[in-house]
Amino acid sequence: MPKVTIPSLIERKSTGDPIVMVTAYDYPGARAAEQAGVDMVLVGDSGAQVVLGYSTTAEVTIDEMLTLAKAVRRGTSTPFLVCDVPFGSTEQSDAQAVATAVRFVKEAGADAVKLEGGGAAQLSRISAIVAAGIPVVAHVGLTPQTATALGGLRAQGRTEASAARVIEEAVGAQRAGAFCVVVEAVPSEVTAVLRETLEIPIIGIGAGPADGQVLVLHDLLGVTEGRTAKFVKTYGTIGPDTVAAIGAYADEVRSGAFPAAEHQYAASSEAVEAARAAARGV
């Protein structure tokens, strides 16, 4: 399978061939995504919560994101690799944003970076990063890094003002040079307007039919604990299966059933006697 590129992703918008994106945060997750044949892998800042245990995505640092991204890069070759830039790494200036994006390309081998928001400052950052030769994926609608300013983790585009803002930000991101836009937690009717308006691919997450879809790996595998978002569909039971497997292991260790003979190495009688002799001499 050939390496996924920006031209091939843009072509899919015109052909109607859906784009499959999934998050990954480590080498095993990246290998699974590669073998499953997905088109795009996102090293999302959601790793702050599902991998690193933070309460919000805003807490993760550049260095932590780079560690995750490097592991994913080592596990992927075919999918197009996008890396989230964490909160606080682009807000100060265009120069800071470019420097951050460069690190993800040079140190982690990212094919593109993703920025949340479509306000004037964010559009300026997108333009600057694109001008530096680094592809950008925009992210509009619900933007978790700044969810507090939106009133919390809630759907966007459900009021007249909010729907207009989603459209304006997405169009602005396209004009600023983004080659793709993630639309999160937005009514499908608003996403339909975007699909008619934008020339670049739209990747939906809780936004209804789009040019492609993305889900958090841990959500779709059934690893995430507690309540998940309305748009999450679980395709596996890895979480419960993992707990059950560890529990079975613990039970066998405590009962003495593990390790059994087949899990042990044999030694010659001479080696055993030498060990005993050594022990007596200690």
Side-chain angles (χ1 to χ4, degrees):
M1 185 174 177
K3 166 74 176 177
V4 177
T5 63
I6 292 177
S8 68
L9 291 170
I10 293 176
E11 182 182 5
R12 292 190 179 204
K13 183 175 180 69
S14 60
T15 62
D17 187 14
I19 298 167
V20 179
M21 176 188 265
V22 69
T23 66
Y25 315 96
D26 57 17
Y27 181 82
R31 293 302 305 146
E34 172 89 25
Q35 293 168 26
V38 305
D39 305 303
M40 303 178 75
V41 170
L42 170 65
V43 184
D45 58 5
S46 46
Q49 296 164 298
V50 301
V51 173
L52 301 178
Y54 290 123
S55 59
T56 69
T57 61
E59 299 171 72
V60 72
T61 67
I62 295 177
D63 287 340
E64 287 171 327
M65 285 297 299
L66 282 169
T67 296
L68 302 182
K70 290 175 184 178
V72 173
R73 177 77 283 172
R74 289 190 285 269
T76 56
S77 58
T78 301
F80 192 88
L81 181 60
V82 181
C83 295
D84 265 336
V85 291
F87 181 73
S89 67
T90 64
E91 282 73 13
Q92 294 179 11
S93 65
D94 289 353
Q96 181 202 28
V98 170
T100 297
V102 166
R103 288 195 67 186
F104 278 91
V105 172
K106 292 190 68 173
E107 297 179 35
D111 294 318
V113 296
K114 182 168 77 65
L115 277 71
E116 291 188 5
Q122 289 88 356
L123 297 182
S124 180
R125 308 296 185 259
I126 292 172
S127 295
I129 294 171
V130 171
I134 300 172
V136 172
V137 174
H139 184 150
V140 303
L142 172 58
T143 48
Q145 290 181 4
T146 54
T148 301
L150 298 174
L153 294 170
R154 57 180 62 183
Q156 302 297 302
R158 303 180 75 176
T159 65
E160 293 179 17
S162 181
R165 178 177 58 81
V166 170
I167 300 297
E168 291 165 0
E169 290 188 351
V171 171
Q174 177 177 270
R175 290 174 177 165
F179 78 91
C180 181
V181 58
V182 169
V183 180
E184 181 171 356
V186 168
S188 57
E189 294 86 352
V190 176
T191 302
V193 174
L194 275 178
R195 294 185 75 182
E196 297 170 356
T197 305
L198 297 183
E199 297 177 0
I200 60 177
I202 298 168
I203 306 296
I205 177 167
D211 301 310
Q213 298 292 327
V214 61
L215 278 179
V216 170
L217 182 66
H218 292 62
D219 288 347
L220 73 87
L221 291 179
V223 176
T224 304
E225 296 182 27
R227 183 180 178 184
T228 56
K230 175 183 177 65
F231 53 75
V232 170
K233 181 175 180 178
T234 302
Y235 291 85
T237 57
I238 303 301
D241 289 349
T242 300
V243 174
I246 295 174
Y249 159 70
D251 289 343
E252 289 201 357
V253 169
R254 290 170 179 146
S255 71
F258 179 84
E262 64 265 29
H263 306 118
Q264 303 174 41
Y265 296 98
S268 66
S269 57
E270 292 82 4
V272 174
E273 184 54 42
R276 288 174 177 161
R280 290 193 293 270
V282 173

